[in-house]
């Protein structure tokens, strides 16, 4: 399957109090829905699927949170899209190869956006950023 579009539908950031003491940030990504999508390619139509996701970062102890909701549109053969839709409609499951590609792309986009939102809300980074240490 080929990724053809990515977009955010909702972005929320909340800071409840200033950071103090030991802080932990836990993030999660989940597929919330998959819908069939017909993609118009000139005079022809191509099979596709719109995968809706939710990415969250929760700062503990009750410091704040970031929530991103969006969608990724995939294009593929009719057979592949049908298999994805059948698996989702039956068990709310997606094959390992599709999940791997999807989660890697979503995590790449969402981690960057969450870092920007955390900076703007004066929340700590939710992932470890590289640091330079001078040699002595």
């Amino acid at each position: 399957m080929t990724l053809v579009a990515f977009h955010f539908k909702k972005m929320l950031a909340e800071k409840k109090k200033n950071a103090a003491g030991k802080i932990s940030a836990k993030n999660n990504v989940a597929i919330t829905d998959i819908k069939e999508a017909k993609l118009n390619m000139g005079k022809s139509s191509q099979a596709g699927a719109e995968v809706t996701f939710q990415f969250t970062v929760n700062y503990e102890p009750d410091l704040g949170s970031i929530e991103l909701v969006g969608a990724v549109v995939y294009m593929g053969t009719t057979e592949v899209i049908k298999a994805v839709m059948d698996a989702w409609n039956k068990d709310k499951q997606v094959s390992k190869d599709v999940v791997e590609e999807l989660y890697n792309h979503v995590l790449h986009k969402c981690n960057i956006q969450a870092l920007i939102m955390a900076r703007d809300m004066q929340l700590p980074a939710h992932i470890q950023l590289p640091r330079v240490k001078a040699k002595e």
Side-chain angles (χ1 to χ4, degrees), residues 83-133:
V84 168
M85 294 305 303
D86 288 347
W88 180 257
N89 290 331
K90 181 181 177 192
D91 300 327
K92 301 294 185 217
Q93 296 291 320
V94 183
S95 67
K96 290 180 183 180
D97 57 329
V98 173
V99 166
E100 182 180 335
E101 182 180 5
L102 173 71
Y103 277 8
N104 283 330
H105 190 77
V106 168
L107 286 170
H108 176 80
K109 297 280 191 177
C110 289
N111 277 318
I112 292 169
Q113 186 61 43
L115 279 172
I116 293 167
M117 293 171 73
R119 178 202 64 198
D120 293 345
M121 296 295 293
Q122 297 178 350
L123 289 165
H126 65 287
I127 56 176
Q128 186 67 40
L129 297 173
R131 294 182 182 247
V132 174
K133 187 172 182 179

Side-chain angles (χ1 to χ4, degrees), residues 4 11 22 25 33 35 41 52-53 58 67-70 72-73 78 84 92 96 98 100 103 107 112 116 127:
V4 294
M11 294 184 200
K22 184 174 165 85
D33 195 20
K35 295 179 184 173
M41 302 294 180
T52 304
F53 65 87
N58 290 308
E67 177 186 10
L68 301 170
V69 175
V72 178
V73 179
T78 304
V84 168
K92 301 294 185 217
K96 290 180 183 180
V98 173
E100 182 180 335
Y103 277 8
L107 286 170
I112 292 169
I116 293 167
I127 56 176

Side-chain angles (χ1 to χ4, degrees), residues 22-28 56-61 64 124-127:
K22 184 174 165 85
I23 299 166
S24 68
K26 296 178 183 176
N27 60 13
N28 186 45
T56 56
V57 179
N58 290 308
Y59 294 93
E60 297 296 336
H126 65 287
I127 56 176

Side-chain angles (χ1 to χ4, degrees), residues 5-73:
F6 177 96
H7 61 276
F8 289 113
K9 295 180 178 184
K10 178 168 72 169
M11 294 184 200
L12 297 174
E14 179 182 22
K15 181 178 179 181
K16 296 178 181 177
K17 58 185 177 183
N18 290 327
K22 184 174 165 85
I23 299 166
S24 68
K26 296 178 183 176
N27 60 13
N28 186 45
V29 64
I31 296 172
T32 57
D33 195 20
I34 300 178
K35 295 179 184 173
E36 196 169 346
K38 292 292 182 193
L39 306 171
N40 294 322
M41 302 294 180
K43 293 182 180 180
S44 65
S45 182
Q46 179 75 37
E50 181 182 61
V51 181
T52 304
F53 65 87
Q54 180 180 31
F55 176 88
T56 56
V57 179
N58 290 308
Y59 294 93
E60 297 296 336
D62 200 30
L63 178 65
S65 63
I66 295 172
E67 177 186 10
L68 301 170
V69 175
V72 178
V73 179

